[in-house]
Amino acid sequence: MKLLPRRIRILFLAIAVGACCAAAAQASSDYELQLQQGSAQLQAGNAEAALAAGDAAVRMAPDRWDGYELAGRALLRLQRYEAAADALSRAIERAPSAQQGSLRDLRRQALLAESGAAPAGRPPAVAAATPAPAPASAPLVA
């Protein structure tokens, strides 16, 4: 069996690497599309669709953090607090340091909501700062 000339082997190798890079770029593009669509769904109030997009992103790239964040935000909106905290924990494990603080805050909200310590969907600081209603005998300001 005769080996192919070196130039042809290099050409085949270059084609294979190029095909691999193109497939990776397409996968990254699909991943980003899932995140964008999920974020738009979450902003539109459709948490179920946002969760589906987050889950799809996680299946595409389980080593990336932002799919877990999207799923965690959607689960928080759906009041599935334990699952939200789990997803956000996974996001924290994978996220860069600069993102971890905000993810920890979200996870804290989920854990507090699960325990009944804070109103759903509101950060504890906001819940604590909400003024108590005025007594019935107090005059109303027009």
Side-chain angles (χ1 to χ4, degrees):
M1 180 168 144
K2 186 175 180 180
L3 292 177
L4 294 173
R6 181 175 180 183
R7 288 184 183 184
I8 293 176
R9 288 191 313 237
I10 291 172
L11 178 63
F12 283 141
L13 180 60
I15 290 170
V17 168
C20 179
C21 290
Q26 179 62 40
S28 178
S29 174
D30 291 346
Y31 180 83
E32 296 299 327
L33 183 62
Q34 285 295 325
L35 292 178
Q36 290 172 0
Q37 289 176 345
S39 293
Q41 290 293 333
L42 195 56
Q43 287 178 354
N46 191 349
E48 288 288 345
L51 177 57
D55 286 344
V58 167
R59 281 191 303 277
M60 287 178 192
D63 57 324
R64 294 190 53 183
W65 66 274
D66 30 11
Y68 293 101
E69 178 196 21
L70 176 59
R73 287 180 184 276
L75 288 162
L76 194 59
R77 188 80 54 91
L78 291 167
Q79 299 180 357
R80 293 172 50 192
Y81 303 120
E82 187 175 348
D86 290 344
L88 292 166
S89 292
R90 289 185 191 99
I92 292 165
E93 292 169 359
R94 293 160 175 82
S97 298
Q99 304 296 334
Q100 290 180 3
S102 63
L103 293 169
R104 283 190 183 100
D105 289 342
L106 281 174
R107 182 182 61 188
R108 189 175 302 113
Q109 288 177 34
L111 293 171
L112 287 170
E114 177 70 18
S115 71
R122 294 177 64 191
V126 173
T130 304
S137 61
L140 296 175
V141 179

